[in-house]
């Protein structure tokens, strides 16, 4: 049991990829809370139509963007982590 | 004034009680819908069959754990996605958009931010610790007994709120489809769920989740395509019709409640983003594939399918508004949705795909509810039998047999509790209930887990005090806030205004953990520091050399 706990850590390298993880988390937080914050403090921005005279508002585009961003950032993390794993 | 209003609400609630009878005449198009029921039964029996077969093939306990090793990253990704795409979330989200327009999509967007956070901040460290459950991770560093008691209690509370969401969704679905009274529908869901846990168990959930995720993604895609086809693939036209059907008109195209109550808005944002990382039954999913590479690939596929599904809600939610609202087949005389506010997506499936689609979507939704509820119940029963009974009250003396017996009792008790809660919360939106589970997880399990993984200074006393304060305040403010005080007890105005309370309780939990740990001079604190040092977590993340 002790072996199980200690071995990965004694390797001396950072566990996981904290810097990459924090950076990607920060990006997601900025854009997601940008969305929530605009809705809370500047709703007029989100209420604007995407195209002049159109029905689809900026809110839809931004919402979909955050959803896509989650996939993209996860993809970046997995790509980097797995490439390092091979090396 | 508020007292009389409260009394009126209570009377209103009492009057609602016989309302389920309406469902008998309503159905989704009138009378008992035999095609839909036949398809529904087929799919439900099919998934139960999968469970049974998988359970039979899996003889030993180790089979259960290594089963992950035999499935590919892609398949495991679907299983993780299946865990997230709970029917509660699906039905609830469509219902929220139906009732509130874009406000509902805030939840859909928020749900998708949870999984990346788990991947970025926790998955690798959890794997490195070689521990699979939240409780076991905390116990590698801290004193076992108090941590287990806290972890089990927190898990049970989170699970209870998550269960409510699924029970309400399942109950409304059965009531709508079979025309039964809501109370009976609750008992059917509860009893089926207990059977599912006792016979199939967790063993087969991976396969059921895969099957269900595929069916749900196909079903959702077909509905979305049919809705779009109805409007000549012009999303603007769909929205124009939705606007014309909603009493609030144009305003449904942009977030409304965020600007009305910015503090609650940010609080909700926090809960949705970080709640996932504190859900005990979700964290376990990251370890079903033994090698790290496959685990990461599976996480990527999970995020693809999950986010795709939540993006479909943009079409399905507004599609329900455009095609179901004001349609006499789906709306009762008072203008409310037949079967309750969570049934918008079900009615939509009938509106665009007839009885076949209705039966298919209902069946997949119901199978999902059973699978998720069974998983939750099992996690809860494990918390009781393994963490509380075996580890704490009986110490190491508890035999396997007695532990299993306790977990059986716990399953049955949890099933009964779930039925009761399902009845108490029957008029709540289920996506909203899920957000409450998230907010409590954010304030109790998440701070503890983050600190265990990243801060060597955490002591047992700090962790347990902070966790308990977070759990207690989150629970108290939820009861005094809108969800219970207004929604269940029927008072007019909540005592605690912020809903969910995350913005207060999550920082509070972190703060208490920190302050108590720093001031902790107990002998146990010394042991805790020693253990964290021997585990080797010495360098703060920022100074770690680039890998």
């Amino acid at each position: 049991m002790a072996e199980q706990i200690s071995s990965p850590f004694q390797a001396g390298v950072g566990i996981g990829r904290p810097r990459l993880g924090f950076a990607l988390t920060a990006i997601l937080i900025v854009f997601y809370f940008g969305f929530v914050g605009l809705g809370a403090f500047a709703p007029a921005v989100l209420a604007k139509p995407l195209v002049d005279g159109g029905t689809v508002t900026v809110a839809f585009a931004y919402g979909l963007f955050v959803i896509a961003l989650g996939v993209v950032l996860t993809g970046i993390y997995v790509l980097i982590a797995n490439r390092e794993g091979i090396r | 004034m508020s007292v009389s209003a409260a009394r009126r609400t209570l009377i209103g609630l009492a009057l609602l009680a016989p309302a389920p009878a309406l469902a008998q005449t309503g159905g989704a198009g009138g009378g008992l819908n035999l095609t839909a029921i036949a398809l529904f039964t087929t799919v439900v029996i099919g998934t139960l069959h999968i469970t049974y077969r998988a359970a039979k093939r899996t003889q030993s306990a180790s089979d259960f754990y290594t089963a992950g090793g035999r499935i590919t990253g892609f398949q495991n990704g679907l299983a993780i996605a299946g865990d997230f795409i709970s029917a509660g979330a699906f039905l609830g989200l469509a219902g929220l958009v139906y009732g509130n327009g874009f406000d509902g999509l805030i939840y859909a967007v928020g749900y998708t931010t949870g999984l990346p956070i788990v991947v970025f901040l926790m998955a690798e460290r959890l794997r490195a610790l070689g521990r699979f459950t939240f409780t076991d991770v905390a116990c590698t560093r801290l004193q076992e007994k108090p941590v287990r008691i806290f972890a089990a209690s927190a898990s049970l509370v989170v699970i209870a709120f998550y269960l409510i969401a699924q029970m309400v969704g399942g109950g409304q679905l059965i009531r709508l489809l079979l025309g039964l009274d809501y109370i009976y529908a609750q008992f059917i869901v509860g009893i089926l769920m207990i059977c599912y846990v006792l016979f199939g168990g967790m063993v087969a959930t991976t396969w059921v989740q895969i099957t269900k995720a595929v069916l749900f993604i196909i079903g959702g895609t077909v509905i979305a395509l049919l809705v779009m086809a109805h409007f000549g693939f012009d999303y603007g036209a769909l929205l124009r019709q939705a606007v014309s059907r909603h009493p609030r008109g144009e305003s449904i195209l942009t977030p409304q409640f965020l600007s009305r109550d910015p503090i609650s808005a940010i609080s909700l944002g926090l809960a949705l983003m970080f709640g996932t990382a504190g859900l005990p039954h979700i964290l376990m999913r990251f370890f079903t594939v033994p090698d790290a590479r496959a685990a990461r690939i599976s996480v990527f596929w999970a995020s693809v399918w999950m986010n795709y599904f939540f993006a479909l809600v943009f079409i399905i939610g507004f599609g329900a508004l455009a095609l179901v609202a004001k349609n006499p087949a789906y709306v009762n005389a008072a203008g409310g949705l037949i079967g309750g506010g969570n049934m918008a997506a079900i009615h939509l499936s009938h509106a665009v795909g007839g009885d076949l689609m209705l039966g298919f979507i209902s069946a997949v939704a119901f199978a999902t509810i059973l699978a998720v509820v069974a998983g939750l119940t099992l996690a809860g029963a494990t918390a009781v039998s393994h963490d509380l009974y075996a580890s704490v009250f009986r110490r190491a003396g508890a035999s396997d047999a007695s532990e299993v017996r306790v977990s059986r009792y716990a399953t049955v008790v949890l099933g009964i509790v779930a039925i009761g809660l399902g009845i108490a919360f029957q008029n709540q939106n289920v996506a909203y209930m899920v957000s409450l589970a998230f907010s409590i997880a954010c304030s109790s399990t998440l701070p503890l887990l983050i600190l265990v993984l990243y801060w060597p200074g955490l002591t047992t006393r700090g962790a347990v005090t902070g966790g308990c304060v977070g759990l207690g305040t989150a629970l108290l403010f939820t009861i005094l806030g809108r969800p219970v005080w207004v929604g269940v007890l029927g008072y007019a105005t909540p005592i605690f205004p912020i809903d969910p309370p995350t913005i207060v309780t999550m920082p509070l939990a972190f703060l208490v953990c920190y302050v108590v740990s720093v001031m902790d001079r107990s002998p146990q604190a010394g042991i805790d520091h020693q253990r964290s040092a021997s585990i080797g977590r010495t360098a703060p993340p920022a100074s770690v050399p680039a890998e």
Side-chain angles (χ1 to χ4, degrees):
Chain A
M1 183 178 147
E3 199 183 321
Q4 204 177 358
I5 296 169
S6 53
S7 61
F9 293 91
Q10 283 165 356
V13 291
I15 306 128
R17 282 145 201 85
R19 271 206 272 180
L20 178 63
F22 283 126
L24 295 177
T25 305
I27 295 173
L28 194 59
I29 286 178
V30 166
F31 282 102
Y32 175 56
F33 279 95
F35 178 62
V36 174
L38 278 179
F41 301 110
V45 176
L46 293 181
K48 262 189 242 159
L50 204 57
V51 192
D52 273 339
T55 331
V56 184
T57 59
V58 174
F60 285 89
Y62 200 158
L64 275 183
F65 168 73
V66 172
I67 292 182
L69 186 69
V71 178
V72 171
L73 294 181
T74 310
I76 290 173
Y77 184 89
V78 169
L79 264 182
I80 294 178
N82 275 359
R83 193 175 294 166
E84 281 171 1
I86 294 170
R87 253 195 268 146
Chain B
M1 187 231 148
S2 74
V3 174
S4 73
R7 203 169 290 147
R8 239 177 295 135
T9 326
L10 273 179
I11 294 168
L13 281 176
L15 286 176
L16 276 178
L22 280 175
Q24 287 169 356
T25 53
L32 271 185
N33 190 329
L34 289 180
T35 320
I37 292 174
L39 198 60
F40 176 81
T41 321
T42 314
V43 175
V44 170
I45 290 177
T47 53
L48 286 174
H49 181 68
I50 294 172
T51 317
Y52 174 74
R53 286 241 323 253
K56 257 180 79 177
R57 239 189 300 157
T58 316
Q59 298 295 343
S60 71
S62 73
D63 268 355
F64 168 55
Y65 292 110
T66 56
R70 288 196 297 269
I71 57 176
T72 67
F74 178 75
Q75 288 168 330
N76 195 52
L78 277 172
I80 297 175
D83 267 336
F84 276 94
I85 310 171
S86 72
F90 171 65
L91 298 176
L93 286 173
L96 273 180
V97 176
Y98 179 85
N100 305 295
F102 197 92
D103 281 349
L105 293 184
I106 306 270
Y107 285 79
V109 172
Y111 286 147
T112 66
T113 59
L115 182 63
I117 297 292
V118 179
V119 177
F120 300 156
L121 295 184
M122 317 182 81
E124 306 264 344
R125 289 191 171 227
L126 288 176
R127 281 195 74 94
L129 275 171
R131 290 294 183 278
F132 303 142
T133 70
F134 152 67
T135 323
D136 289 342
V137 168
C139 289
T140 54
R141 279 209 32 209
L142 306 170
Q143 197 192 353
E144 185 160 359
K145 192 168 161 177
V147 168
R148 267 195 204 280
I149 295 178
F150 164 73
S153 319
S155 302
L156 282 173
V157 174
V158 172
I159 284 167
F161 275 91
Y162 219 87
L163 261 179
I164 295 171
Q166 312 299 329
M167 292 297 291
V168 171
Q172 291 194 348
L173 193 61
I174 291 288
R175 173 177 74 179
L176 180 70
L177 206 63
L178 305 181
L180 288 169
D181 203 83
Y182 183 79
I183 309 270
Y184 295 125
Q186 279 297 299
F187 277 98
I188 290 182
V189 177
I191 289 165
L192 270 176
M193 162 194 108
I194 294 171
C195 295
Y196 201 96
V197 175
L198 293 183
F199 297 123
M202 199 63 167
V203 179
T205 347
T206 306
W207 283 108
V208 171
Q209 292 293 30
I210 293 173
T211 317
K212 168 212 110 184
V214 172
L215 291 178
F216 229 152
I217 288 163
I218 293 173
T221 308
V222 171
I223 292 185
L225 283 176
L226 288 172
V227 169
M228 288 306 280
H230 195 274
F231 292 97
F233 291 91
D234 178 359
Y235 193 59
L238 190 165
L239 290 183
R240 274 194 293 283
Q241 179 154 338
V243 165
S244 74
R245 294 294 164 89
H246 199 282
R248 290 209 294 271
E250 292 270 331
S251 73
I252 61 165
L253 296 180
T254 191
Q256 292 293 305
F257 82 98
L258 293 180
S259 57
R260 270 203 308 275
D261 186 354
I263 297 179
S264 289
I266 293 168
S267 197
L268 175 70
L270 278 175
L272 293 178
M273 188 170 214
F274 294 102
T276 307
L279 293 181
H281 69 290
I282 293 282
L283 289 176
M284 290 177 64
R285 272 271 169 226
F286 288 86
F287 307 95
T288 42
V289 179
D291 99 80
R293 209 182 135 73
R296 291 194 203 102
I297 291 171
S298 75
V299 163
F300 174 71
W301 281 115
S303 76
V304 168
W305 293 118
M306 193 181 109
N307 289 24
Y308 168 71
F309 191 82
F310 283 125
L312 286 180
V313 174
F314 279 57
I315 297 174
I316 294 171
F318 279 97
L321 198 44
L323 297 174
V324 170
K326 301 213 171 149
N327 184 334
Y330 310 116
V331 178
N332 60 29
L337 215 49
I338 292 171
N342 293 310
M343 294 296 107
I346 302 295
H347 288 307
L348 178 67
S349 67
H350 186 260
V352 295
D355 290 346
L356 271 180
M357 208 61 203
L358 170 75
F360 179 71
I361 291 294
S362 310
V364 177
F366 189 69
T368 306
I369 288 173
L370 277 186
V372 172
V373 160
L376 284 168
T377 311
L378 221 85
T382 312
V384 172
S385 67
H386 185 68
D387 291 337
L388 287 182
Y389 177 76
S391 304
V392 177
F393 294 121
R394 294 276 310 271
R395 294 281 173 90
S399 67
D400 270 8
S402 68
E403 194 178 321
V404 168
R405 203 175 57 239
V406 169
S407 109
R408 289 246 159 84
Y409 292 147
T411 303
V412 175
V413 171
L414 276 166
I416 294 166
V417 170
I419 293 172
L421 290 171
I423 292 169
F425 284 84
Q426 65 168 305
N427 293 313
Q428 299 273 350
N429 179 280
V430 296
Y432 170 68
M433 293 308 300
V434 169
S435 77
L436 291 181
F438 278 31
S439 96
I440 290 173
C442 257
S443 317
S444 56
T445 48
L446 175 83
L448 207 155
L449 202 47
I450 290 272
L451 291 175
V452 163
L453 293 177
Y454 284 98
W455 187 46
L458 184 71
T459 68
T460 303
R461 187 184 289 174
V464 173
T465 318
C468 287
V469 167
L471 177 66
T473 49
L475 196 57
L476 181 72
F477 290 156
T478 303
I479 292 169
L480 295 180
R482 187 163 75 93
V484 175
W485 199 251
V486 179
V488 175
L489 299 176
Y491 292 100
T493 43
I495 293 178
F496 186 79
I498 304 170
D499 168 39
T502 325
I503 197 166
V504 175
T505 54
M506 184 172 142
L508 182 70
F510 272 108
L511 187 73
V512 174
C513 282
Y514 176 76
V515 170
V516 174
S517 294
V518 169
M519 288 169 45
D520 192 355
R521 296 279 174 272
S522 64
Q524 179 61 37
I527 302 174
D528 294 338
H529 289 310
Q530 241 170 8
R531 266 164 97 181
S532 71
S534 77
I535 281 174
R537 193 181 295 90
T538 45
S543 63
V544 165
E547 301 94 276

